[in-house]
Amino acid sequence: MVNKVNAHVERLHRYLPFNPSHDQIYEEYQTTDDSLNLETKALAYLKKSVKDKARLIILTGDAGHGKTHLCRRLIEYHFSCSQKEARDIINTQCDGKQFIDINNTGQPLRIYKDFSEMGVDIASEHIEKALNDDRTTIVCANEGRLRAILEYGKDLSNSQELLKQFKDSFKDGVSSHSGLVHIVNLNYQSVASTNDQSLVSMAMKAWVDGKRWSTCQSCDSKEHCPILFNRNQLSHRESKKASIRLNRIELLFATAERLGAVITIREILMAIAYFLTGGLGCLDVHQNLRKKKAGWQSNYAYYNLLFKTPPEISSDKLKKISVLSNINLLDPGKKSLREVDEKLINEQGIFEPNSIDLQFTYRSRGKVINVDASNGIDEVISDPRSKREQNNEAIFIQELVQSIRRKLYFEDQGVQEMGLLGFEHGNDFIEVLAGNMTATKMKTVKNKLIAGLHTIQGLQIGDDETTLHIVDPSFTSSVGHTAIIAKKIPTTLIKILSMNNAWNTSDGLYDISSSVDWLDRHIVFRIEDRNLKPFDFPLNLMVFDCIARASSGYVAEEFYAHDLRRIKTFLGSITQQHVSEEGNIPLFINGKMRSISIDEGVIQIGGSL
């Protein structure tokens, strides 16, 4: 056997933002038929809308979500043409100047592949024209640009209605009301959706497929290649634990989205190409092995690449893969949990020995010491004789422990995965969104949130309280632990819902969750009122965890400063919209609830409520 070069690895390098051939991943510049064609819900929704003869379909969202790609796939499907023909049409006939009708389908399409190429005044006129045309027009526009265009044309009747529909879509979760005009907001598209297969899962399975890696099986470097190691770890054909690892990768990206990150398809493809290869090519691997460097492969294990940049790559090169900065904040290697660390350090046989990703080297008094980390830090045996040697050993042990913590997160099915990512109550959050929580467990979660809201307001009432007490914002808790209660809401009027269920659209045909690959990113804390519209407060993962942690009686105010301001603003707004009908004024003082009444000008304080 000899050293080989896998063309698939070179193909993956095109997705790295620091590679010279990176521009080939953009739809307009692709010349081959080897592009990754993911079957997204947005594509299915687009096909159906065209088939139903919609007048206007707007594809909006950040750059990289695949708007141009969707148009190219639609052209292939609608006109029964090849990828090459569809790309030629994209580049020559999708400026909106003409209707496209090849092969005489009888249903022509007008496509604007980029609305940013024209001024807002002209674009507004084109929108109005499309709304008055019986034929189908498809518009691609970034969300900010679309807002500007619709605001400019708001004096026009049709555009005014479209602007209202666009703004309402963020509140009611509907992409279309009539079936004639559709707004497909790809910023709601998730790369880690829980419906069927996620985009991350589909891309991973396509890229670690066995046929693409057949060249590696006859390569001399295969036993020591970190690229092939990553592929084998994530391939169902090669590893029994691959499904666990893939699920944990999906959870990472889903968590980033639930914290507010908008991750595009382009970005996820760049991220996958990066943590599969680490920027290494086949020739780089061969060269490193010729140098007989020991222990270098651990830097390129997929679970380390997700959180730590290898020494050969500067952090500036990865700035275009912005999701990596979001993922870095979730690093399980930097989360110290006693039960996890004791398991890693004291138990034997957790990891298989002699795996290339667990080989480390460090220097001690001029000697290079090789360490197999399959049994934790047992093999780190040295005799430091100076402060410098002690510091070097401490840094080495820290890096080793962080690495095996990360590996444990991706391989151990028994760990609390959300706890390893830093969210103590993260599993409750996911269980609520999944909709399979029992009534007893839901009651426990609801009481926990109520107790947390009490703590945030300075009330120490207990975690079994069945009433949410809202402190008057003008009389918040003082040094004397006294507060005036502006509103009391029983738990029967409080609902904990997923965002999709909170929207509660009628038939689901034109729901946003049906138009894109959907992931519930928020829990809605809803307060119902018989006389008023329900009052909703969306909780992302960070805010939910903040309130749930506060239920123990303490909240880290500096760390959660931004979230606490939002929570207190929400609580204050309740007192404005939900007016108390009680004659007495409830008072919390010295740990007890009392009542205040004013009778004949005399203030009276009643007993405990």
PDB file of all heavy atoms in Angstrom, residues 337-357:
ATOM      1  N   LEU A 337     -17.871  19.128  36.792  1.00  0.00           N
ATOM      2  CA  LEU A 337     -18.918  18.468  37.564  1.00  0.00           C
ATOM      3  C   LEU A 337     -18.289  17.312  38.331  1.00  0.00           C
ATOM      4  O   LEU A 337     -17.607  16.464  37.740  1.00  0.00           O
ATOM      5  CB  LEU A 337     -20.028  17.947  36.641  1.00  0.00           C
ATOM      6  CG  LEU A 337     -20.759  19.006  35.799  1.00  0.00           C
ATOM      7  CD1 LEU A 337     -21.762  18.332  34.872  1.00  0.00           C
ATOM      8  CD2 LEU A 337     -21.460  20.020  36.693  1.00  0.00           C
ATOM      9  N   ARG A 338     -18.501  17.278  39.637  1.00  0.00           N
ATOM     10  CA  ARG A 338     -17.815  16.299  40.478  1.00  0.00           C
ATOM     11  C   ARG A 338     -18.024  14.867  39.992  1.00  0.00           C
ATOM     12  O   ARG A 338     -17.071  14.093  39.859  1.00  0.00           O
ATOM     13  CB  ARG A 338     -18.287  16.440  41.925  1.00  0.00           C
ATOM     14  CG  ARG A 338     -17.613  15.451  42.884  1.00  0.00           C
ATOM     15  CD  ARG A 338     -18.206  15.559  44.277  1.00  0.00           C
ATOM     16  NE  ARG A 338     -17.884  16.837  44.876  1.00  0.00           N
ATOM     17  CZ  ARG A 338     -16.751  17.097  45.534  1.00  0.00           C
ATOM     18  NH1 ARG A 338     -15.839  16.149  45.651  1.00  0.00           N
ATOM     19  NH2 ARG A 338     -16.546  18.280  46.061  1.00  0.00           N
ATOM     20  N   GLU A 339     -19.293  14.499  39.721  1.00  0.00           N
ATOM     21  CA  GLU A 339     -19.571  13.109  39.345  1.00  0.00           C
ATOM     22  C   GLU A 339     -18.900  12.731  38.029  1.00  0.00           C
ATOM     23  O   GLU A 339     -18.492  11.591  37.817  1.00  0.00           O
ATOM     24  CB  GLU A 339     -21.083  12.866  39.265  1.00  0.00           C
ATOM     25  CG  GLU A 339     -21.833  13.691  38.225  1.00  0.00           C
ATOM     26  CD  GLU A 339     -22.286  15.046  38.740  1.00  0.00           C
ATOM     27  OE1 GLU A 339     -21.745  15.499  39.773  1.00  0.00           O
ATOM     28  OE2 GLU A 339     -23.186  15.641  38.112  1.00  0.00           O
ATOM     29  N   VAL A 340     -18.763  13.713  37.132  1.00  0.00           N
ATOM     30  CA  VAL A 340     -18.109  13.457  35.844  1.00  0.00           C
ATOM     31  C   VAL A 340     -16.613  13.305  36.023  1.00  0.00           C
ATOM     32  O   VAL A 340     -16.001  12.355  35.526  1.00  0.00           O
ATOM     33  CB  VAL A 340     -18.416  14.594  34.845  1.00  0.00           C
ATOM     34  CG1 VAL A 340     -17.575  14.434  33.583  1.00  0.00           C
ATOM     35  CG2 VAL A 340     -19.893  14.608  34.493  1.00  0.00           C
ATOM     36  N   ASP A 341     -15.993  14.235  36.742  1.00  0.00           N
ATOM     37  CA  ASP A 341     -14.537  14.185  36.916  1.00  0.00           C
ATOM     38  C   ASP A 341     -14.108  12.971  37.723  1.00  0.00           C
ATOM     39  O   ASP A 341     -13.064  12.352  37.439  1.00  0.00           O
ATOM     40  CB  ASP A 341     -14.050  15.466  37.587  1.00  0.00           C
ATOM     41  CG  ASP A 341     -14.126  16.671  36.663  1.00  0.00           C
ATOM     42  OD1 ASP A 341     -14.370  16.455  35.453  1.00  0.00           O
ATOM     43  OD2 ASP A 341     -13.967  17.814  37.128  1.00  0.00           O
ATOM     44  N   GLU A 342     -14.886  12.581  38.742  1.00  0.00           N
ATOM     45  CA  GLU A 342     -14.543  11.388  39.511  1.00  0.00           C
ATOM     46  C   GLU A 342     -14.620  10.140  38.642  1.00  0.00           C
ATOM     47  O   GLU A 342     -13.813   9.215  38.768  1.00  0.00           O
ATOM     48  CB  GLU A 342     -15.478  11.252  40.714  1.00  0.00           C
ATOM     49  CG  GLU A 342     -15.174  12.250  41.835  1.00  0.00           C
ATOM     50  CD  GLU A 342     -16.084  12.057  43.031  1.00  0.00           C
ATOM     51  OE1 GLU A 342     -17.067  11.285  42.916  1.00  0.00           O
ATOM     52  OE2 GLU A 342     -15.808  12.674  44.072  1.00  0.00           O
ATOM     53  N   LYS A 343     -15.587  10.127  37.753  1.00  0.00           N
ATOM     54  CA  LYS A 343     -15.717   8.987  36.839  1.00  0.00           C
ATOM     55  C   LYS A 343     -14.528   8.913  35.894  1.00  0.00           C
ATOM     56  O   LYS A 343     -13.971   7.834  35.660  1.00  0.00           O
ATOM     57  CB  LYS A 343     -17.016   9.128  36.040  1.00  0.00           C
ATOM     58  CG  LYS A 343     -17.311   7.984  35.085  1.00  0.00           C
ATOM     59  CD  LYS A 343     -18.675   8.168  34.432  1.00  0.00           C
ATOM     60  CE  LYS A 343     -19.008   6.972  33.552  1.00  0.00           C
ATOM     61  NZ  LYS A 343     -20.361   7.080  32.950  1.00  0.00           N
ATOM     62  N   LEU A 344     -14.136  10.053  35.363  1.00  0.00           N
ATOM     63  CA  LEU A 344     -13.025  10.079  34.413  1.00  0.00           C
ATOM     64  C   LEU A 344     -11.698   9.729  35.072  1.00  0.00           C
ATOM     65  O   LEU A 344     -10.832   9.092  34.464  1.00  0.00           O
ATOM     66  CB  LEU A 344     -12.923  11.475  33.775  1.00  0.00           C
ATOM     67  CG  LEU A 344     -14.011  11.852  32.775  1.00  0.00           C
ATOM     68  CD1 LEU A 344     -13.899  13.321  32.402  1.00  0.00           C
ATOM     69  CD2 LEU A 344     -13.928  10.992  31.522  1.00  0.00           C
ATOM     70  N   ILE A 345     -11.511  10.155  36.318  1.00  0.00           N
ATOM     71  CA  ILE A 345     -10.216   9.975  36.977  1.00  0.00           C
ATOM     72  C   ILE A 345     -10.119   8.639  37.698  1.00  0.00           C
ATOM     73  O   ILE A 345      -9.061   7.998  37.701  1.00  0.00           O
ATOM     74  CB  ILE A 345      -9.966  11.141  37.970  1.00  0.00           C
ATOM     75  CG1 ILE A 345      -9.808  12.447  37.187  1.00  0.00           C
ATOM     76  CG2 ILE A 345      -8.721  10.890  38.812  1.00  0.00           C
ATOM     77  CD1 ILE A 345      -9.742  13.676  38.053  1.00  0.00           C
ATOM     78  N   ASN A 346     -11.225   8.175  38.281  1.00  0.00           N
ATOM     79  CA  ASN A 346     -11.151   6.994  39.145  1.00  0.00           C
ATOM     80  C   ASN A 346     -11.575   5.695  38.475  1.00  0.00           C
ATOM     81  O   ASN A 346     -11.105   4.624  38.860  1.00  0.00           O
ATOM     82  CB  ASN A 346     -12.021   7.214  40.398  1.00  0.00           C
ATOM     83  CG  ASN A 346     -11.529   8.391  41.225  1.00  0.00           C
ATOM     84  OD1 ASN A 346     -10.334   8.664  41.282  1.00  0.00           O
ATOM     85  ND2 ASN A 346     -12.457   9.089  41.878  1.00  0.00           N
ATOM     86  N   GLU A 347     -12.479   5.757  37.490  1.00  0.00           N
ATOM     87  CA  GLU A 347     -12.937   4.519  36.859  1.00  0.00           C
ATOM     88  C   GLU A 347     -12.014   4.108  35.714  1.00  0.00           C
ATOM     89  O   GLU A 347     -11.435   4.952  35.033  1.00  0.00           O
ATOM     90  CB  GLU A 347     -14.370   4.692  36.343  1.00  0.00           C
ATOM     91  CG  GLU A 347     -15.397   4.883  37.442  1.00  0.00           C
ATOM     92  CD  GLU A 347     -16.816   4.905  36.905  1.00  0.00           C
ATOM     93  OE1 GLU A 347     -17.024   4.424  35.770  1.00  0.00           O
ATOM     94  OE2 GLU A 347     -17.714   5.391  37.620  1.00  0.00           O
ATOM     95  N   GLN A 348     -11.905   2.811  35.499  1.00  0.00           N
ATOM     96  CA  GLN A 348     -11.059   2.267  34.442  1.00  0.00           C
ATOM     97  C   GLN A 348     -11.916   1.765  33.277  1.00  0.00           C
ATOM     98  O   GLN A 348     -13.080   1.412  33.450  1.00  0.00           O
ATOM     99  CB  GLN A 348     -10.210   1.104  34.990  1.00  0.00           C
ATOM    100  CG  GLN A 348      -9.343   1.468  36.181  1.00  0.00           C
ATOM    101  CD  GLN A 348      -8.259   2.455  35.809  1.00  0.00           C
ATOM    102  OE1 GLN A 348      -7.552   2.292  34.826  1.00  0.00           O
ATOM    103  NE2 GLN A 348      -8.115   3.501  36.618  1.00  0.00           N
ATOM    104  N   GLY A 349     -11.344   1.741  32.085  1.00  0.00           N
ATOM    105  CA  GLY A 349     -12.014   1.158  30.929  1.00  0.00           C
ATOM    106  C   GLY A 349     -13.137   1.984  30.352  1.00  0.00           C
ATOM    107  O   GLY A 349     -14.002   1.454  29.662  1.00  0.00           O
ATOM    108  N   ILE A 350     -13.148   3.288  30.633  1.00  0.00           N
ATOM    109  CA  ILE A 350     -14.195   4.141  30.063  1.00  0.00           C
ATOM    110  C   ILE A 350     -13.985   4.286  28.559  1.00  0.00           C
ATOM    111  O   ILE A 350     -14.933   4.246  27.776  1.00  0.00           O
ATOM    112  CB  ILE A 350     -14.191   5.517  30.744  1.00  0.00           C
ATOM    113  CG1 ILE A 350     -14.518   5.376  32.224  1.00  0.00           C
ATOM    114  CG2 ILE A 350     -15.204   6.457  30.075  1.00  0.00           C
ATOM    115  CD1 ILE A 350     -14.456   6.676  32.990  1.00  0.00           C
ATOM    116  N   PHE A 351     -12.731   4.454  28.153  1.00  0.00           N
ATOM    117  CA  PHE A 351     -12.394   4.606  26.737  1.00  0.00           C
ATOM    118  C   PHE A 351     -11.484   3.458  26.302  1.00  0.00           C
ATOM    119  O   PHE A 351     -10.750   2.882  27.124  1.00  0.00           O
ATOM    120  CB  PHE A 351     -11.688   5.938  26.484  1.00  0.00           C
ATOM    121  CG  PHE A 351     -12.445   7.147  26.960  1.00  0.00           C
ATOM    122  CD1 PHE A 351     -11.888   8.011  27.891  1.00  0.00           C
ATOM    123  CD2 PHE A 351     -13.723   7.410  26.497  1.00  0.00           C
ATOM    124  CE1 PHE A 351     -12.576   9.127  28.336  1.00  0.00           C
ATOM    125  CE2 PHE A 351     -14.430   8.521  26.939  1.00  0.00           C
ATOM    126  CZ  PHE A 351     -13.852   9.377  27.859  1.00  0.00           C
ATOM    127  N   GLU A 352     -11.537   3.164  25.017  1.00  0.00           N
ATOM    128  CA  GLU A 352     -10.674   2.112  24.477  1.00  0.00           C
ATOM    129  C   GLU A 352      -9.218   2.578  24.460  1.00  0.00           C
ATOM    130  O   GLU A 352      -8.934   3.717  24.072  1.00  0.00           O
ATOM    131  CB  GLU A 352     -11.109   1.744  23.062  1.00  0.00           C
ATOM    132  CG  GLU A 352     -12.493   1.104  23.000  1.00  0.00           C
ATOM    133  CD  GLU A 352     -12.871   0.716  21.579  1.00  0.00           C
ATOM    134  OE1 GLU A 352     -12.000   0.866  20.681  1.00  0.00           O
ATOM    135  OE2 GLU A 352     -14.010   0.289  21.362  1.00  0.00           O
ATOM    136  N   PRO A 353      -8.275   1.720  24.866  1.00  0.00           N
ATOM    137  CA  PRO A 353      -6.860   2.120  24.875  1.00  0.00           C
ATOM    138  C   PRO A 353      -6.284   2.217  23.459  1.00  0.00           C
ATOM    139  O   PRO A 353      -6.843   1.667  22.497  1.00  0.00           O
ATOM    140  CB  PRO A 353      -6.191   0.995  25.667  1.00  0.00           C
ATOM    141  CG  PRO A 353      -7.087  -0.194  25.463  1.00  0.00           C
ATOM    142  CD  PRO A 353      -8.485   0.362  25.375  1.00  0.00           C
ATOM    143  N   ASN A 354      -5.194   2.957  23.353  1.00  0.00           N
ATOM    144  CA  ASN A 354      -4.412   3.083  22.112  1.00  0.00           C
ATOM    145  C   ASN A 354      -5.147   3.812  20.990  1.00  0.00           C
ATOM    146  O   ASN A 354      -4.742   3.730  19.823  1.00  0.00           O
ATOM    147  CB  ASN A 354      -3.969   1.696  21.599  1.00  0.00           C
ATOM    148  CG  ASN A 354      -3.158   0.942  22.631  1.00  0.00           C
ATOM    149  OD1 ASN A 354      -2.294   1.523  23.299  1.00  0.00           O
ATOM    150  ND2 ASN A 354      -3.431  -0.343  22.776  1.00  0.00           N
ATOM    151  N   SER A 355      -6.225   4.517  21.318  1.00  0.00           N
ATOM    152  CA  SER A 355      -6.919   5.310  20.300  1.00  0.00           C
ATOM    153  C   SER A 355      -6.085   6.551  19.995  1.00  0.00           C
ATOM    154  O   SER A 355      -5.552   7.195  20.909  1.00  0.00           O
ATOM    155  CB  SER A 355      -8.302   5.712  20.805  1.00  0.00           C
ATOM    156  OG  SER A 355      -8.999   6.453  19.828  1.00  0.00           O
ATOM    157  N   ILE A 356      -5.961   6.916  18.714  1.00  0.00           N
ATOM    158  CA  ILE A 356      -5.036   7.997  18.353  1.00  0.00           C
ATOM    159  C   ILE A 356      -5.441   9.344  18.930  1.00  0.00           C
ATOM    160  O   ILE A 356      -4.609  10.229  19.115  1.00  0.00           O
ATOM    161  CB  ILE A 356      -4.881   8.122  16.822  1.00  0.00           C
ATOM    162  CG1 ILE A 356      -6.212   8.507  16.156  1.00  0.00           C
ATOM    163  CG2 ILE A 356      -4.312   6.856  16.225  1.00  0.00           C
ATOM    164  CD1 ILE A 356      -6.067   8.878  14.693  1.00  0.00           C
ATOM    165  N   ASP A 357      -6.734   9.509  19.252  1.00  0.00           N
ATOM    166  CA  ASP A 357      -7.176  10.798  19.789  1.00  0.00           C
ATOM    167  C   ASP A 357      -6.859  10.954  21.265  1.00  0.00           C
ATOM    168  O   ASP A 357      -6.982  12.054  21.822  1.00  0.00           O
ATOM    169  CB  ASP A 357      -8.674  10.984  19.564  1.00  0.00           C
ATOM    170  CG  ASP A 357      -9.496   9.936  20.314  1.00  0.00           C
ATOM    171  OD1 ASP A 357      -9.111   8.752  20.249  1.00  0.00           O
ATOM    172  OD2 ASP A 357     -10.512  10.302  20.941  1.00  0.00           O
TER     173      ASP A 357
END
